[in-house]
Amino acid sequence: VLTLNTKITEVGEKILASNGKEVNFASALKSCEEAGGTLATPMNEAENNAILGIVKQYNRYAYLGIKENETLGQFSYMNGIPVNYTKWHQYEPNGKGREKCVEMYTDGSWNDKNCNLYRLTVCEF
């Protein structure tokens, strides 16, 4: 259990965990869902900071459970509900349909990004 202490974080009603693996968005989402959760999705500053703690620990950008929907520049959670909390990096999002996924930088800000790049897997339960 002690080896998991730094890999699992509790924030509000959520538990966040990472396996430390970097994969593309579809694989990250699949591994979270197979474990009974989904990709980490910050709904407020406290959750964003908790995910950031894991991102900083691995010093790797991580995918978030947010994707651009059919309306260019509009982003939604995996369940289709529009995003109501954001922490976009300056001048982001700027992909305009070419960058459908969202990653978290090591400073906690967000960037829209291509979904086939390898990013850290952080799940929420």
Side-chain angles (χ1 to χ4, degrees):
V1 175
L2 291 178
T3 58
L4 291 175
N5 277 354
T6 58
K7 311 278 192 283
I8 296 177
T9 305
E10 198 171 338
V11 56
E13 301 290 308
K14 294 181 180 179
I15 292 174
L16 303 171
S18 178
N19 58 10
K21 293 195 169 108
E22 291 182 272
V23 294
N24 65 27
F25 181 87
S27 297
L29 180 60
K30 184 173 182 235
S31 61
C32 289
E33 288 176 343
E34 285 174 351
T38 190
L39 274 171
T41 308
M43 309 291 269
N44 55 49
E45 192 72 17
E47 292 180 8
N48 202 76
N49 288 337
I51 297 165
L52 175 59
I54 295 172
V55 165
K56 281 184 169 175
Q57 179 191 339
Y58 289 100
N59 196 28
R60 298 280 180 267
Y61 296 173
Y63 279 125
L64 298 176
I66 299 169
K67 283 191 89 170
E68 188 172 24
N69 57 34
E70 298 308 311
T71 308
L72 297 186
Q74 298 291 312
F75 289 79
S76 299
Y77 301 117
M78 300 315 296
N79 61 9
I81 295 172
V83 171
N84 58 8
Y85 164 84
T86 61
K87 193 162 178 99
W88 294 111
H89 195 77
Q90 189 174 12
Y91 308 120
E92 300 294 344
N94 64 5
K96 297 179 182 69
R98 295 183 319 278
E99 300 176 325
K100 295 250 177 224
C101 290
V102 178
E103 65 183 357
M104 179 184 282
Y105 287 152
T106 51
D107 68 356
S109 65
W110 305 357
N111 174 42
D112 56 335
K113 203 68 184 169
N114 193 305
C115 300
N116 63 5
L117 299 170
Y118 280 51
R119 295 292 181 261
L120 182 66
T121 302
V122 181
C123 303
E124 71 176 42
F125 302 93

